[in-house]
Amino acid sequence: MRPVSLHTGAWRFPGAYPDANFNFAHLKRFAQTLERGRFDAFFMADHLAVLNMPVNALKRSQTVSSFEPFTMLSALAAVTERIGLVGTASTTFDEPYHVARRFASLDHISGGRAGWNLVTTSNPDAALNFGLDEHVEHGERYRRGREFYDVVTGLWDSWADDAFVRDVESGLYVDPEKMHVLGHKGEHFSVRGPLNVPRPVQGWPVVVQAGSSEAGRQVAAETADAVFTAQSTLEAGKRFYADVKGRLDTLGRPREHLVILPATFVVVGDSLDEAREKRALLDTFVHYDSGIASLSIALGHDVSRFDPDGPLPEIPETNDSKSARQRVIDWAQAEKLTIRQLAQRIGGVSGLEMVGTPTMIADQMEQWLVEEGSDGFIVVFPYLPAGLDDFVDKVVPELQRRGIFRREYEGATLREHLGLPRPGNRFFGAERLR
Amino acid sequence: MRPVSLHTGAWRFPGAYPDANFNFAHLKRFAQTLERGRFDAFFMADHLAVLNMPVNALKRSQTVSSFEPFTMLSALAAVTERIGLVGTASTTFDEPYHVARRFASLDHISGGRAGWNLVTTSNPDAALNFGLDEHVEHGERYRRGREFYDVVTGLWDSWADDAFVRDVESGLYVDPEKMHVLGHKGEHFSVRGPLNVPRPVQGWPVVVQAGSSEAGRQVAAETADAVFTAQSTLEAGKRFYADVKGRLDTLGRPREHLVILPATFVVVGDSLDEAREKRALLDTFVHYDSGIASLSIALGHDVSRFDPDGPLPEIPETNDSKSARQRVIDWAQAEKLTIRQLAQRIGGVSGLEMVGTPTMIADQMEQWLVEEGSDGFIVVFPYLPAGLDDFVDKVVPELQRRGIFRREYEGATLREHLGLPRPGNRFFGAERLR
Ligand SMILES: Cc1cc2nc3c(=O)[nH]c(=O)nc-3n(C[C@H](O)[C@H](O)[C@H](O)COP(=O)(O)O)c2cc1C
Ligand SMILES: Cc1cc2nc3c(=O)[nH]c(=O)nc-3n(C[C@H](O)[C@H](O)[C@H](O)COP(=O)(O)O)c2cc1C
């Protein structure tokens, strides 16, 4: 949920709140609706810059601004009860002591509902806001990210779970025998510790990874509790799923200790036609100028001189992405879209889509789960609040009816929602659980 | 309010919540009580390490842990309406882009109630958690702090107040003419900008400074909206007040654009005796081992071999602090305290104290205000919730009766509570107001 919808026309949709991205009252309502729908978590992506785009796109984009994740998620923690709160923090532009403290604090404030989306930050503009002239190299980012993770988890283990005694009678507040001074000295970080926050409720907040490169997948397999991913088709999803779960096998980690969650854009209608109409209406709110540029890139061919309201002519194959080209051609044929409509569609959002009735959407989700394409989904809402309400009121009951989604929260923590074990403390007590 | 009381015995006081420092439900109740008492703000100090102290003191101290300020203040923002929320952030161990974003976000989420306690961090242990072997030198910390402030305020001015148009009809979300790219390149920082958050509700969140050195006072006079200070006597307070306000005169800043707020420890009783009894009871919860060390330091004389339950013998004058010694001797004489009682008093909290009936406390506060010792106070509660409730239920009405404290919030923002102007934008519109 950053911006509240990834679709660039969403803020103009009838009934939408144009300022939703920056209005806490709306975000509170959305989080409470998700909680009513028994979602595992509310996810807050994050970027450390105004994203670099042509001024013509920037001025139409609600991605220009969003709340800093900790301020927003903590405020939401105070007005929700059960839903997990997953925030993004960058290992390239932050310090492990800060990140460890914030997630530990959020975990305590929320009663064990915090999750960290660990990103190495691919956006090069961020570097310019943090004293660098150019971005840190990709491999170096992941090496730093890996060590960052070791330091953060080490700091979370600074105190045994039962270190804080608070015995009024004897005056013993904390047992110093149950404190571990980390004393980390590595290639990128030197951090003494201990953390000035007791061990998190979940032991460690849930760690999410969203990298897609070789290095990103490997770090995920080694460290993450969940993986966020963008896979446009079930076939691609199954390949990704097999790849990452295979890495767990190699590492000797149980497969169910990491859940794989592709992002999917969902438009719900009472009929397929109605869903498609909503989708088409939404697309009309994408400005033609930004759409046509995206379309030309997808087709590997400048289409700006064709008649916007005519059909797509035959486009020669090029060396550019064949799958992106084929996707557009499939849309053009199946739904008889004009150039303008194609431009607006591809300029709105890209990736996996589920557009249809609640039954059709539930069928698709069930197929992904059964065929090992994923363990669940990051649901991207087309526009809010209506798209979110539709999902919670119509799709969730259908998933519940099939027994593939909970009717009530069974656990209290995000780890429990996701079926993940609570990690032991590497410095105290029983051997670590993973 | 970090820990919830600065008094080291407070967590053991009858009726106190020993875990209050780390229990959001309690902190929420405290913040709501302060709001009921029409306080300007809730202040959250912060340290980036477990404070260095002998293990014998550490194990008895609730200062070992606290929430990270942004997580806590944002959660409080969601459950309060009017009270300001002032958090500490270090200019030595953080990045201006992060700090600017967080305070801007907190300001939006809270509707203009955010304040930044700008500290350069004097605790050398913090450095060890941020990759350094030793602390950054004092002068260098303040030079960095000064530049940090320039970058943060520049980032807050990234957008004109009316930059975010969100015009659904035309599809214009933000006016790019009203965006300023900072392009800061200085001795310590290079930050491109713009900030990915609209201009804060208050223009700039309130900036507080708590430095006491020459450099600290000068930075405060140049930049701060409020100064937090520790002044034990009215005479010292008046000297400090005159010094800092004099610096404003020299700089051509109006005196009322900076408010000076000394910390004062307040114990309320229905009679002076009752207040003193509460104070004495509280002191009994300070462990003798830590108290006796503090007492020996204050007197410049090892007193650990005297009879703990006997009176203080004649102590020779030394070259150490004469005022600290005299203070102890005054206590011993006025209240006939034993060595143990003196040790426990000085080991509990130090600095300005107001112990007495609501009338006596209001008299003292009024005197400080009238004689230009301060513009207000940081009230330090002896124990919670009772010490806080006493203040709100008994002292606040007395101050209101005298017309020296508001009965209702008149404004919506922290700046309005403090009587401070909203800064203009240095890059857009009218000339800056200060
Ligand atoms: C669902 C999802 C959410 C993501 N959220 C963020 C984010 O909040 N911030 C960010 O910098 N990158 C985010 N990413 C991008 C990834 O972290 C990563 O940078 C990108 O997938 C490139 O992977 P690589 O660096 O391994 O090549 C996200 C990716 C996905 C699929
Ligand atoms: C009321 C008050 C609150 C303070 N809060 C903090 C704090 O939260 N964090 C911190 O590192 N220092 C805090 N300080 C310490 C000052 O920022 C500063 O480091 C100290 O007064 C030394 O000043 P100097 O560096 O100018 O010599 C506080 C001081 C006072 C008087």
Side-chain angles (χ1 to χ4, degrees):
Chain A
M1 276 226 187
R2 179 204 185 263
V4 293
S5 166
L6 288 172
H7 192 287
T8 58
W11 67 277
R12 301 174 66 192
F13 198 82
Y17 312 122
D19 67 343
N21 214 26
F22 231 89
N23 182 317
F24 182 68
H26 296 320
L27 292 165
K28 173 174 157 179
R29 182 192 151 173
F30 299 156
Q32 290 174 340
T33 305
L34 290 168
E35 193 165 64
R36 178 163 63 78
R38 307 292 181 256
F39 269 67
D40 295 321
F42 178 103
F43 165 51
M44 168 90 180
D46 193 46
H47 301 282
L48 296 168
V50 169
L51 297 183
N52 194 3
M53 46 186 140
V55 75
N56 212 4
L58 180 134
K59 71 188 192 191
R60 308 187 183 286
S61 168
Q62 62 184 341
T63 62
V64 166
S65 75
S66 80
F67 288 125
E68 184 280 328
F70 283 90
T71 34
M72 197 186 93
L73 294 175
S74 308
L76 290 176
V79 295
T80 54
E81 301 284 330
R82 303 296 279 276
I83 194 165
L85 301 161
V86 180
T88 299
S90 168
T91 57
T92 303
F93 302 112
D94 214 323
E95 290 282 342
Y97 201 85
H98 286 317
V99 169
R101 275 185 90 205
R102 281 186 207 117
F103 280 104
S105 298
L106 181 61
D107 205 51
H108 282 284
I109 288 174
S110 65
R113 298 188 280 137
W116 171 23
N117 180 32
L118 181 167
V119 300
T120 59
T121 304
S122 55
N123 170 15
D125 285 331
L128 307 180
N129 291 328
F130 291 88
L132 302 178
D133 287 332
E134 52 181 49
H135 202 10
V136 181
E137 182 268 321
H138 189 272
E140 170 59 13
R141 290 206 302 274
Y142 272 104
R143 279 191 301 280
R144 182 180 154 111
R146 188 67 183 74
E147 187 181 338
F148 196 110
Y149 166 88
D150 287 338
V151 179
V152 167
T153 52
L155 288 170
W156 285 336
D157 284 348
S158 291
W159 304 92
D161 285 313
D162 58 355
F164 286 76
V165 181
R166 301 189 181 101
D167 181 24
V168 170
E169 202 54 47
S170 68
L172 185 68
Y173 190 82
V174 64
D175 182 350
E177 304 276 302
K178 297 191 173 164
M179 171 178 100
H180 179 85
V181 178
L182 186 63
H184 175 92
K185 280 196 194 299
E187 192 192 339
H188 302 85
F189 302 105
S190 133
V191 179
R192 181 169 180 274
L195 196 66
N196 53 2
V197 181
R199 194 155 193 262
V201 175
Q202 298 183 95
W204 302 352
V206 169
V207 177
V208 180
Q209 242 279 301
S212 57
S213 61
E214 169 62 30
R217 291 172 187 215
Q218 189 57 27
V219 167
E222 290 173 15
T223 65
D225 297 304
V227 169
F228 289 172
T229 182
Q231 303 294 334
S232 305
T233 63
L234 179 54
E235 283 58 49
K238 284 157 78 168
R239 273 196 304 277
F240 182 83
Y241 191 95
D243 175 288
V244 174
K245 297 270 176 171
R247 290 175 197 253
L248 266 81
D249 297 343
T250 310
L251 291 162
R253 280 186 70 191
R255 287 194 155 214
E256 62 277 16
H257 284 193
L258 182 149
V259 295
I260 295 180
L261 308 169
T264 179
F265 177 81
V266 178
V267 185
V268 188
D270 291 332
S271 65
L272 176 59
D273 278 351
E274 196 202 46
R276 283 192 172 159
E277 273 160 31
K278 287 178 176 181
R279 175 79 168 96
L281 177 62
L282 177 60
D283 287 343
T284 65
F285 297 116
V286 176
H287 200 273
Y288 183 68
D289 291 350
S290 30
I292 201 74
S294 310
L295 184 62
S296 299
I297 291 166
L299 291 170
H301 193 96
D302 179 4
V303 293
S304 65
R305 270 157 311 161
F306 295 136
D307 173 11
D309 298 309
L312 184 69
E314 192 75 35
I315 301 289
E317 228 178 288
T318 71
N319 257 337
D320 295 348
S321 167
K322 294 198 202 325
S323 64
R325 175 178 172 278
Q326 196 53 51
R327 200 154 172 246
V328 173
I329 292 172
D330 289 348
W331 277 339
Q333 285 170 355
E335 299 179 50
K336 312 225 179 309
L337 303 182
T338 63
I339 299 235
R340 184 189 304 279
Q341 288 168 328
L342 287 168
Q344 289 179 320
R345 167 153 312 176
I346 204 149
V349 79
S350 62
L352 179 61
E353 297 184 16
M354 301 182 181
V355 179
T357 63
T359 309
M360 292 167 74
I361 292 164
D363 282 346
Q364 259 184 288
M365 291 191 158
E366 191 164 2
Q367 190 185 11
W368 274 73
L369 297 174
V370 169
E371 295 189 17
E372 303 205 328
S374 77
D375 298 311
F377 300 91
I378 312 267
V379 181
V380 179
F381 301 105
Y383 42 79
L384 295 101
L388 166 57
D389 292 342
D390 282 349
F391 192 90
V392 166
D393 295 333
K394 298 175 181 170
V395 182
V396 166
E398 176 62 24
L399 296 170
Q400 288 170 332
R401 207 188 49 72
R402 297 178 187 208
I404 56 175
F405 193 57
R406 69 172 69 85
R407 285 178 190 275
E408 290 301 333
Y409 288 111
E410 286 129 32
T413 69
L414 177 55
R415 276 190 185 277
E416 287 164 357
H417 300 340
L418 295 173
L420 298 167
R422 183 179 192 273
N425 188 316
R426 78 174 73 153
F427 306 120
F428 296 99
E431 67 293 342
R432 295 179 53 214
L433 292 174
R434 40 175 245 177
Chain B
M1 276 226 185
R2 178 204 185 263
V4 293
S5 166
L6 288 172
H7 192 286
T8 58
W11 66 276
R12 300 174 66 192
F13 197 83
Y17 312 123
D19 67 343
N21 215 26
F22 231 90
N23 182 316
F24 182 69
H26 296 321
L27 292 164
K28 173 174 158 179
R29 181 192 152 173
F30 300 155
Q32 290 174 341
T33 305
L34 290 168
E35 193 164 64
R36 179 163 64 77
R38 307 292 181 257
F39 269 67
D40 295 321
F42 178 103
F43 165 50
M44 168 90 179
D46 192 46
H47 300 283
L48 296 168
V50 169
L51 297 182
N52 193 4
M53 46 187 140
V55 74
N56 212 3
L58 180 134
K59 71 189 193 190
R60 307 184 184 287
S61 167
Q62 62 184 340
T63 62
V64 167
S65 74
S66 79
F67 289 124
E68 185 279 328
F70 283 91
T71 33
M72 197 186 95
L73 294 176
S74 307
L76 290 177
V79 295
T80 53
E81 301 284 329
R82 302 296 278 277
I83 193 164
L85 300 161
V86 181
T88 298
S90 168
T91 56
T92 303
F93 302 112
D94 214 323
E95 290 281 341
Y97 200 86
H98 286 316
V99 169
R101 275 185 89 205
R102 281 186 208 118
F103 280 104
S105 299
L106 181 60
D107 205 51
H108 282 284
I109 287 175
S110 65
R113 299 188 280 136
W116 171 24
N117 180 32
L118 181 167
V119 300
T120 59
T121 304
S122 56
N123 171 15
D125 286 330
L128 307 180
N129 290 328
F130 292 88
L132 303 178
D133 287 332
E134 53 181 49
H135 203 11
V136 182
E137 183 268 321
H138 189 271
E140 170 60 12
R141 291 207 301 274
Y142 273 105
R143 279 192 301 279
R144 181 179 155 113
R146 188 68 184 74
E147 187 182 339
F148 197 110
Y149 167 88
D150 287 338
V151 178
V152 167
T153 51
L155 288 169
W156 284 336
D157 285 348
S158 291
W159 304 92
D161 285 314
D162 57 355
F164 286 76
V165 182
R166 301 189 181 100
D167 181 24
V168 170
E169 201 53 47
S170 69
L172 185 68
Y173 190 82
V174 64
D175 181 351
E177 305 275 303
K178 297 190 172 165
M179 171 178 100
H180 179 84
V181 178
L182 186 63
H184 175 93
K185 280 197 193 299
E187 192 191 339
H188 302 86
F189 303 106
S190 133
V191 179
R192 182 169 180 275
L195 197 66
N196 52 2
V197 181
R199 194 154 192 263
V201 175
Q202 298 183 93
W204 302 352
V206 169
V207 177
V208 180
Q209 242 279 301
S212 57
S213 61
E214 170 63 30
R217 291 172 186 213
Q218 190 55 28
V219 167
E222 290 173 14
T223 64
D225 297 304
V227 169
F228 290 173
T229 181
Q231 303 294 334
S232 305
T233 63
L234 179 54
E235 283 58 51
K238 285 157 78 169
R239 273 196 304 276
F240 181 85
Y241 191 95
D243 175 288
V244 174
K245 297 270 175 168
R247 290 173 198 253
L248 266 80
D249 297 342
T250 309
L251 292 162
R253 280 186 71 191
R255 286 194 156 213
E256 63 277 16
H257 284 193
L258 182 149
V259 295
I260 295 181
L261 307 170
T264 179
F265 177 81
V266 178
V267 184
V268 187
D270 290 332
S271 65
L272 176 59
D273 279 350
E274 195 202 46
R276 284 192 172 158
E277 274 159 31
K278 287 178 175 180
R279 174 80 168 95
L281 176 63
L282 177 59
D283 287 343
T284 65
F285 297 116
V286 176
H287 201 272
Y288 183 68
D289 292 350
S290 30
I292 201 73
S294 312
L295 185 62
S296 299
I297 291 166
L299 291 169
H301 193 96
D302 179 4
V303 293
S304 66
R305 269 157 311 158
F306 295 135
D307 173 12
D309 298 308
L312 185 69
E314 193 73 36
I315 301 288
E317 228 180 284
T318 70
N319 258 336
D320 295 347
S321 167
K322 293 196 203 326
S323 63
R325 175 178 172 279
Q326 196 54 50
R327 201 155 172 244
V328 173
I329 292 172
D330 289 349
W331 279 338
Q333 285 169 353
E335 301 180 48
K336 311 227 178 312
L337 303 182
T338 64
I339 298 236
R340 183 190 305 278
Q341 288 168 329
L342 287 169
Q344 289 179 321
R345 167 153 313 176
I346 205 149
V349 79
S350 63
L352 179 60
E353 297 183 17
M354 301 183 181
V355 180
T357 62
T359 309
M360 292 167 73
I361 291 164
D363 283 345
Q364 260 184 288
M365 290 191 159
E366 191 163 2
Q367 192 185 10
W368 274 74
L369 297 174
V370 168
E371 296 190 16
E372 301 205 328
S374 76
D375 298 310
F377 300 91
I378 311 267
V379 181
V380 179
F381 301 105
Y383 42 79
L384 295 102
L388 166 56
D389 293 342
D390 282 348
F391 192 90
V392 166
D393 295 332
K394 298 175 180 170
V395 181
V396 166
E398 176 61 24
L399 296 170
Q400 288 170 333
R401 207 188 50 71
R402 297 177 186 209
I404 56 175
F405 192 58
R406 68 171 70 85
R407 285 178 190 274
E408 291 302 333
Y409 288 110
E410 286 129 32
T413 69
L414 177 55
R415 276 190 186 277
E416 287 164 356
H417 300 340
L418 294 171
L420 299 167
R422 183 178 192 273
N425 188 318
R426 77 173 73 152
F427 306 120
F428 296 99
E431 66 295 341
R432 296 179 53 214
L433 292 173
R434 41 176 245 177

